[in-house]
Amino acid sequence: MKNIYSLIIIVLGTMIFLSGCRHDDGRAGDYYYRTDMHDQPSYKPQQSPRDPVEGTVPVTGYVMEIEDSAMANRLQNPIGQNPENAELSRRLYNIHCGVCHGAGGKGDGTVTPVFQTPPDITTGRFPDVTDGYLYWVIRDGIGIMPSYYEHIKSDERWLIVNHIRSLQGE
Ligand code: HEC
């Protein structure tokens, strides 16, 4: 009878000891004597996906670095100025640029009393800069003007460039 108690104590003791065992990945608790089905290369629920292989191109296309104005000047405006997109171009300009540059592009937007006055982009050297240059300024910002890389899509930047051209023509 005494031996039976000793045996129970040993079995219980071993179970308690094993319940504290940890797996290689740090999980505590249940002790599995075989883990080969669990530890396998397949992806677990909630696990983040694999990193893409080096050189992978996103489905939305590759975003090119524009390193300097010479490179910007080589960009071709793929969206021509036309009466159909003129209204959209004007609205995009007013939403994103007008607050500083003014609706007419003269640098007299509503925030200018408390912010550095931007240049008049309808005169001076601006009629002579390329569309690519204006696109680059919108995309990457210049001086203290912020970049609109995240906020304005590529085709919308070209539409805004078109609207600056029409302001310069006025
Ligand atoms: C927060 C105010 C602000 C907004 C919004 C803003 N700009 Fe500017 N922009 C400036 C300031 C200030 C400068 C002068 C930057 C400098 O020289 O440091 C400038 C400069 C420029 C220039 C002249 C670049 C050169 O070669 O000197 C162009 C072109 C221009 N902005 C276009 C735009 C367009 C297009 C938008 C809208 C997508 C826009 N800006 C939105 C403040 C703004």
Side-chain angles (χ1 to χ4, degrees):
M1 199 59 187
K2 212 172 155 200
N3 281 347
I4 281 285
Y5 286 129
S6 310
L7 190 64
I8 290 172
I9 287 170
I10 288 170
V11 168
L12 281 177
T14 309
M15 285 169 73
I16 291 167
F17 173 75
L18 288 178
S19 70
C21 286
R22 279 177 184 274
H23 297 274
D24 289 349
D25 60 8
R27 282 176 301 116
D30 317 338
Y31 179 75
Y32 302 104
Y33 81 103
R34 285 188 67 181
T35 56
D36 48 348
M37 288 296 280
H38 178 83
D39 301 328
Q40 53 170 302
S42 67
Y43 272 62
K44 310 283 180 295
Q46 310 291 322
Q47 190 175 0
S48 42
R50 265 174 232 228
D51 288 338
V53 294
E54 207 174 311
T56 302
V57 177
V59 286
T60 47
Y62 176 71
V63 178
M64 196 180 66
E65 289 298 319
I66 306 175
E67 280 155 21
D68 51 27
S69 55
M71 201 165 165
N73 288 340
R74 288 200 295 274
L75 297 176
Q76 296 297 315
N77 185 343
I79 304 178
Q81 238 178 309
N82 63 51
E84 280 87 67
N85 63 30
E87 175 55 18
L88 178 60
S89 307
R90 189 188 64 81
R91 278 177 38 212
L92 288 168
Y93 172 89
N94 285 346
I95 291 167
H96 296 290
C97 324
V99 66
C100 292
H101 286 274
K106 298 285 178 199
D108 55 356
T110 44
V111 305
T112 48
V114 290
F115 191 74
Q116 181 171 323
T117 305
D120 178 350
I121 53 174
T122 61
T123 54
R125 66 191 166 90
F126 293 108
D128 299 324
V129 299
T130 58
D131 282 7
Y133 178 84
L134 293 173
Y135 176 92
W136 181 45
V137 170
I138 300 169
R139 199 188 90 158
D140 293 356
I142 189 165
I144 64 159
M145 178 183 138
S147 150
Y148 285 86
Y149 192 96
E150 298 286 348
H151 311 287
I152 307 178
K153 288 189 293 184
S154 180
D155 51 349
E156 293 176 338
R157 293 179 207 138
W158 289 116
L159 289 171
I160 292 174
V161 169
N162 289 344
H163 186 65
I164 296 174
R165 291 300 184 214
S166 66
L167 290 176
Q168 288 169 344
E170 279 168 7

